[in-house]
Amino acid sequence: MSEADGYFNEAVAADYDTSSAEMFQPEVVGPTVDLLAELAGDGRALELGVGTGRIALPLARRGVPVCGIDMSHAMTSRLRAKPGGEAVDVTIGDFATTRVPGAFALVYLVFNTINNLTTQDAQVECFRNAAAHLAPGGSFVIEVGVPELRLLPPGQTAVPFQIDATRWAFDTYDVATQGLTSHYVTLVDGRPQYRSYPFRYVWPSELDLMARLAGLRLRHRWEGWTRSPFTHESRQHVSVWEKPAS
């Protein structure tokens, strides 16, 4: 594994689009890009954790100038190889701290990417980095799941989220540290392969406090990209924080 690429190395990048195929469906990508394009308006957008370009590429096709930051050479090489990949200006680095030139109307993190930062300090720095890139009046958007702790009975730490004939996947939680590890067991040619990835889960209220520390204020919180209301039963949220205009 390349240290620079972290957990998103060549082996992961090679089948990322296939293993996450449901996230590339038009009914998922379309509403996401619709809302992000609206928030970007006539300005530029910056994606933190741009990956293989699932959202950056269709957003650029809408006419929004898009830049991206990502630590993985393997993932971003897939982005550059796709049609239109040259339109997305990618910088290799840690999206919690890496700066790119200019100001942006929109900075965004999708598909639980904020959880890839495995300490609270790193997540706080991410908010500060986003705020530093935003022009006054700009928006910072995060899509992330609500921690599934309600599914854990006393003494249990694991929650399965995928079970089929060739793939088993489950999350394990450490509530003392807000640690979350996703585990995958996949049958390949009849032989099991195991992978695991560490994350840090984060609560909506905790994100709001991080935003306040960065000088941002909550503008919207929805259950998803179609702007359905966020409730106590919601399993994910799309939150929009705003940098004050003055």
Side-chain angles (χ1 to χ4, degrees), residues 18-138:
T18 301
S19 63
S20 302
E22 71 281 357
M23 298 301 295
F24 286 79
Q25 296 301 310
E27 60 270 23
V28 176
V29 173
T32 305
V33 172
D34 287 344
L35 180 53
L36 293 175
E38 178 183 323
L39 291 171
D42 296 328
R44 299 196 302 158
L46 174 63
E47 180 169 356
L48 305 182
V50 68
T52 66
R54 179 180 69 94
I55 299 301
L57 290 173
L59 185 59
R61 287 195 291 269
R62 289 285 190 93
V64 177
V66 181
C67 296
I69 300 174
D70 201 292
M71 188 175 288
S72 173
H73 294 79
M75 296 283 280
T76 56
S77 69
R78 266 72 183 177
L79 184 159
R80 293 187 178 104
K82 292 177 180 179
E86 71 284 349
V88 179
D89 186 7
V90 175
T91 298
I92 298 296
D94 181 350
F95 64 72
T97 56
T98 299
R99 293 294 307 275
V100 299
F104 295 82
L106 172 68
V107 179
Y108 65 94
L109 278 160
V110 295
F111 195 19
N112 300 316
T113 302
I114 186 66
N115 293 346
N116 291 351
L117 302 173
T118 56
T119 68
Q120 187 181 69
D121 285 346
Q123 292 172 345
V124 168
E125 286 305 308
C126 178
F127 270 82
R128 288 178 174 152
N129 198 30
H133 281 97
L134 284 174

Side-chain angles (χ1 to χ4, degrees), residues 6 10 14 54 71 84 102 110 112 124 130 163 169 187 218 225-226 235:
E10 181 62 31
R54 179 180 69 94
M71 188 175 288
V110 295
N112 300 316
V124 168
I163 300 174
L187 286 181
L218 182 66
W225 296 101
T226 58
R235 300 182 66 180

